C-alpha cells in the first residue's frame, strides 16, 4: 500500500493552493466545500476564481511563489504548470514540516487527492495512488450511479440515534443486526425517498420494539419497470429490485428485467391479461399488506409507470389505510418509451402542441371514450390497451370528425428487440394490424407526428410494417 487512506478534518485550517489555472481552480472548488480557510497564490488567476472570492470561500494573493509564503499554513497543494516550480514548492513545504500535494506528480506527494463520492457525511474516496486517475474517476462514476443521493441524510439520521440505540441494545452483535435491519428496512427506504419525518417516526418505533416479541413493519415500493428495455430502469428501481425480499410482478414486466431481481427473492406473479386475472386486484392489495406486516421488503413491480393506467393508486390506498410504509418509484411510461423508440415525438412545434393519453378498454362491446375530446387539431392521441377495439376506435374517430387519412401507428412490444411498428392511417390501421398479426402488448399513436417516424426512426431492433 503506497498511500494510507485517511480523512483529514480541514475545519478552520489554513490551506494554500499555489497556481492560478484550471487545475488549481478545481482544487480550490473542492476545498471550498469544506470549512477550510483557503488561500490561492499565483501571479494571475483564471476568471472562474472570482465567484469563489465573492462567496468568501477563497482569498487570492497575486504574486510569484517564495518559500516564505508557506508560513502559517497547515497543508499545501502545488498546482502550477511548471514541474520545476512544483518540485521546489514540495521541497520547501517538506522542509517546513508541511504536508504537500503536487498535482499529477505522486512521487512528490505526502498526500493525494482521490476521486470522491460525496454523500456527506458519508464520503467515499477512490484512488489509484496516482497511477491511473482516469480509472479512479471511472470507478467513482459507477459508484455515483449505485449510491442514492439521500444516503447522506440516512447517515445523519443514524448519527442522531446512535447514542440512544447503544443502551437499548448493549450487545454489539445484536446492535449491528439492529442497524442492518433498520437501515435496510422501512427506515432506510423512507429516508432515501425524502420522507424525513416518517423515517424518524419509524426509527422511534424500531427502538420501542427491540425488547418485544414484535416483527417490525416491512416496506412496500411501488416500482415502475418501464416499457420493456432493462436499460430504461431508474437507478432507484434497480436498487430496490436487488434488495427486495419479495417481488410481486405483472405480466408486462419482461423476463430481462425480472432477471435483475435478487436471485433469492421470492417472486409472485400477479399478471393480468384480458379475461385472465391470476390475482384479482383486491387480492393483490391484501397480499402487499400481508407481506409488509411480515416484515418483508416488498417491490410491487409494474410495467411502464405505476400511476399511468397501472392501478397503482388503488394499491397504495390499501397500504396507507393499514399504515404500511411505502414509496413510489416512477417508470418510463409506454407512451414516451415506445414513441421514442419508434421515432415518433409526442409533441412537435409544427405538428402537435398537446398530447392525450386514454385507455381503449371496452365497457360492454364498445370502447367507452369521450370522442369529442379525442378529435382535436394539433393533438397527439395515445391509446393504451386498444388493440381489441382498434377497428371500433378508428371508425368512431372518423365519425366524430377525424380525417380518414390522419397518420396512425401501432407499436407492438415497444423498446424490446421484438418491437414492431405498423404505420398506416386511421382508416387503414385496423386492417394493417390484422394483416401483420399484431398481438399485445401494443400502443396506438394517432396524429400528424406519426409522419416523422420514417425520418426520425433510430432503433434498429424492430420490424416495420408500413403503408406508404
Amino acid at each position: 500500500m503506497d498511500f494510507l487512506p485517511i480523512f483529514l478534518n480541514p475545519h478552520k485550517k489554513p490551506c494554500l493552493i499555489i497556481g492560478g489555472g484550471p487545475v488549481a481552480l478545481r482544487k480550490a472548488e473542492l476545498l471550498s466545500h469544506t470549512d477550510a480557510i483557503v488561500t490561492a497564490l499565483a501571479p494571475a488567476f483564471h476568471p472562474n476564481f472570482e465567484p469563489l472570492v465573492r462567496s468568501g470561500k477563497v482569498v487570492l494573493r497575486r504574486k510569484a511563489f517564495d518559500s516564505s509564503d508557506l508560513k502559517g499554513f497547515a497543508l499545501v497543494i502545488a498546482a502550477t504548470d511548471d514541474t520545476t516550480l512544483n518540485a521546489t514548492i514540495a521541497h520547501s513545504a517538506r522542509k517546513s514540516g508541511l504536508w504537500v500535494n503536487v498535482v499529477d506528480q505522486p512521487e512528490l506527494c505526502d498526500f493525494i487527492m482521490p476521486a470522491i463520492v460525496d454523500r456527506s457525511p458519508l464520503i467515499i474516496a477512490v484512488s489509484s495512488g496516482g497511477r491511473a486517475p482516469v480509472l479512479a474517476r471511472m470507478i467513482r462514476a459507477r459508484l455515483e450511479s449505485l449510491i442514492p443521493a439521500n444516503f447522506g441524510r440516512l447517515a445523519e439520521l443514524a448519527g442522531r440515534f446512535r447514542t440512544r440505540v447503544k443502551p437499548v441494545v448493549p450487545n454489539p452483535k445484536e446492535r449491528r443486526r439492529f442497524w442492518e435491519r433498520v437501515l435496510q428496512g422501512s427506515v432506510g427506504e423512507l429516508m432515501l425517498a425524502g420522507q424525513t419525518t416518517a423515517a424518524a417516526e419509524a426509527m422511534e418505533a424500531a427502538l420501542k420494539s427491540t425488547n418485544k416479541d414484535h416483527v417490525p413493519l416491512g416496506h412496500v415500493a411501488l416500482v415502475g419497470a418501464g416499457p420493456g428495455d432493462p436499460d430504461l430502469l431508474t437507478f432507484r428501481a434497480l436498487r430496490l429490485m436487488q434488495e427486495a425480499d419479495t417481488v410481486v410482478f405483472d405480466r408486462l414486466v419482461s423476463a430481462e428485467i425480472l432477471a435483475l431481481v435478487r436471485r433469492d427473492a421470492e417472486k409472485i406473479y400477479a399478471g393480468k391479461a384480458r379475461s385472465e386475472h391470476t390475482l384479482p386486484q383486491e387480492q393483490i392489495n391484501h397480499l402487499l399488506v400481508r407481506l409488509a406486516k411480515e416484515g418483508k421488503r416488498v417491490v410491487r413491480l409494474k410495467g411502464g409507470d405505476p400511476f399511468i393506467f397501472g392501478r397503482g393508486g388503488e394499491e397504495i390506498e390499501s397500504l396507507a389505510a393499514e399504515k404500511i410504509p411505502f414509496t413510489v418509484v416512477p417508470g418510463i411510461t409506454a407512451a414516451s418509451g415506445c414513441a421514442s423508440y419508434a421515432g415518433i415525438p409526442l409533441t412537435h412545434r409544427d405538428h402537435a402542441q398537446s398530447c392525450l393519453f386514454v385507455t381503449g378498454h371496452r365497457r360492454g362491446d364498445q370502447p367507452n371514450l369521450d370522442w369529442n375530446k379525442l378529435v382535436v387539431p394539433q393533438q397527439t392521441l395515445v391509446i393504451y390497451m386498444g388493440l381489441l377495439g382498434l377497428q371500433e376506435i378508428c371508425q368512431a374517430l372518423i365519425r366524430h370528425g377525424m380525417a380518414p387519412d390522419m397518420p396512425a401507428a401501432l407499436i407492438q412490444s415497444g423498446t424490446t428487440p421484438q418491437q414492431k411498428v405498423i404505420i398506416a392511417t386511421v382508416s387503414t390501421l385496423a386492417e394493417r394490424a390484422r394483416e401483420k398479426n399484431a398481438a399485445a402488448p401494443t400502443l396506438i399513436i394517432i396524429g400528424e407526428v406519426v409522419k416523422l417516424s420514417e425520418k426520425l426512426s433510430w432503433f434498429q431492433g424492430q420490424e416495420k410494417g408500413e403503408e406508404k
Side-chain angles (χ1 to χ4, degrees):
M1 185 185 297
D2 294 330
F3 288 90
L4 178 67
I6 61 174
F7 287 87
L8 177 70
N9 180 2
H11 181 67
K12 301 303 181 184
K13 289 185 172 65
C15 301
L16 177 64
I17 300 171
I18 303 170
V23 175
L25 175 63
R26 289 198 297 271
K27 302 305 179 185
E29 289 172 338
L30 179 62
L31 282 175
S32 73
H33 294 303
T34 73
D35 288 331
I37 301 170
V38 183
T39 299
L41 185 148
F45 291 93
H46 191 284
N48 286 354
F49 270 95
E50 287 305 319
L52 297 175
V53 174
R54 288 196 299 271
S55 69
K57 295 287 189 178
V58 177
V59 174
L60 302 185
R61 294 184 62 193
R62 299 179 186 274
K63 66 180 295 292
F65 170 74
D66 183 87
S67 59
S68 62
D69 294 321
L70 300 174
K71 187 176 181 180
F73 289 98
L75 62 83
V76 179
I77 297 175
T80 78
D81 56 4
D82 184 335
T83 55
T84 301
L85 176 58
N86 286 342
T88 299
I89 295 168
H91 175 74
S92 298
R94 203 166 286 117
K95 190 175 179 180
S96 300
L98 300 177
W99 281 20
V100 63
N101 169 266
V102 181
V103 177
D104 291 335
Q105 292 182 260
E107 69 280 2
L108 296 178
C109 293
D110 295 313
F111 69 95
I112 55 178
M113 307 286 276
I116 295 172
V117 179
D118 187 357
R119 300 290 188 270
S120 295
L122 178 68
I123 302 293
I124 301 170
V126 182
S127 173
S128 65
R131 290 177 174 81
V134 172
L135 179 60
R137 288 196 292 270
M138 288 169 58
I139 294 172
R140 179 194 65 187
R142 185 163 296 186
L143 290 173
E144 289 277 9
S145 70
L146 294 174
I147 300 171
N150 279 342
F151 251 42
R153 291 185 181 182
L154 185 56
E156 288 176 350
L157 179 71
R160 292 205 307 269
F161 279 86
R162 186 178 179 187
T163 55
R164 292 179 56 190
V165 169
K166 190 171 183 178
V168 176
V169 191
N171 183 282
K173 189 174 182 180
E174 292 179 1
R175 189 162 63 248
R176 177 177 59 80
R177 289 176 178 169
F178 170 83
W179 280 115
E180 288 174 348
R181 185 171 70 250
V182 297
L183 295 178
Q184 295 178 358
S186 60
V187 172
E189 289 307 326
L190 289 168
M191 183 57 80
L192 293 179
Q195 297 174 258
T196 307
T197 302
E201 291 172 352
M203 189 69 195
E204 294 283 2
L207 267 177
K208 291 176 182 177
S209 67
T210 53
N211 295 323
K212 300 176 183 178
D213 185 16
H214 171 71
V215 177
L217 278 177
H219 177 273
V220 177
L222 189 63
V223 175
D229 185 345
D231 284 348
L232 298 182
L233 284 168
T234 64
F235 291 146
R236 180 175 290 181
L238 182 59
R239 176 180 61 80
L240 289 167
M241 289 163 56
Q242 293 179 342
E243 293 176 354
D245 300 310
T246 303
V247 175
V248 181
F249 65 99
D250 278 352
R251 179 178 62 92
L252 294 179
V253 177
S254 69
E256 292 79 8
I257 288 176
L258 203 59
L260 298 174
V261 171
R262 199 178 89 195
R263 289 186 182 276
D264 59 341
E266 179 187 19
K267 302 176 185 68
I268 301 174
Y269 178 60
K272 292 186 180 69
R274 182 169 52 89
S275 302
E276 179 192 339
H277 289 191
T278 302
L279 286 178
Q281 186 63 54
E282 187 175 353
Q283 288 188 29
I284 295 174
N285 299 346
H286 291 321
L287 173 66
L288 298 177
V289 169
R290 176 177 64 79
L291 291 170
K293 286 185 175 181
E294 292 173 359
K296 294 181 178 178
R297 294 171 293 178
V298 183
V299 164
R300 174 68 172 110
L301 196 57
K302 304 172 83 67
D305 182 276
F307 275 9
I308 299 181
F309 304 126
R311 303 186 74 171
E314 299 173 41
E315 295 178 359
I316 63 172
E317 278 184 322
S318 299
L319 297 172
E322 295 286 338
K323 300 189 183 321
I324 303 294
F326 66 86
T327 54
V328 180
V329 182
I332 294 178
T333 187
S336 58
C338 296
S340 296
Y341 275 54
I344 302 173
L346 294 177
T347 61
H348 189 282
R349 184 173 60 179
D350 298 329
H351 302 290
Q353 281 72 56
S354 65
C355 181
L356 181 64
F357 296 175
V358 298
T359 175
H361 267 323
R362 294 181 171 200
R363 181 167 295 178
D365 293 331
Q366 294 293 326
N368 184 41
L369 297 167
D370 187 344
W371 302 105
N372 291 326
K373 290 184 179 178
L374 273 53
V375 184
V376 175
Q378 299 285 292
Q379 175 175 272
T380 302
L381 178 60
V382 179
I383 304 173
Y384 287 69
M385 298 166 283
L387 180 61
L388 181 63
L390 180 57
Q391 183 163 331
E392 291 89 347
I393 290 171
C394 292
Q395 289 173 347
L397 290 171
I398 293 171
R399 283 199 308 272
H400 286 81
M402 184 172 282
D405 63 351
M406 177 66 73
L410 184 143
I411 305 167
Q412 175 180 314
S413 300
T415 78
T416 74
Q418 293 75 41
Q419 175 172 298
K420 180 190 292 185
V421 179
I422 299 172
I423 304 293
T425 64
V426 173
S427 62
T428 61
L429 184 61
E431 180 182 353
R432 295 286 291 148
R434 284 193 297 271
E435 291 174 358
K436 290 290 183 178
N437 298 315
T442 60
L443 188 83
I444 299 159
I445 303 177
I446 298 173
E448 295 290 343
V449 290
V450 174
K451 293 189 298 187
L452 299 171
S453 176
E454 184 174 2
K455 181 167 61 174
L456 302 182
S457 178
W458 60 271
F459 182 52
Q460 299 303 309
Q462 69 182 37
E463 173 189 342
K464 285 194 175 182
E466 299 189 42
E467 178 174 288
K468 302 294 185 182

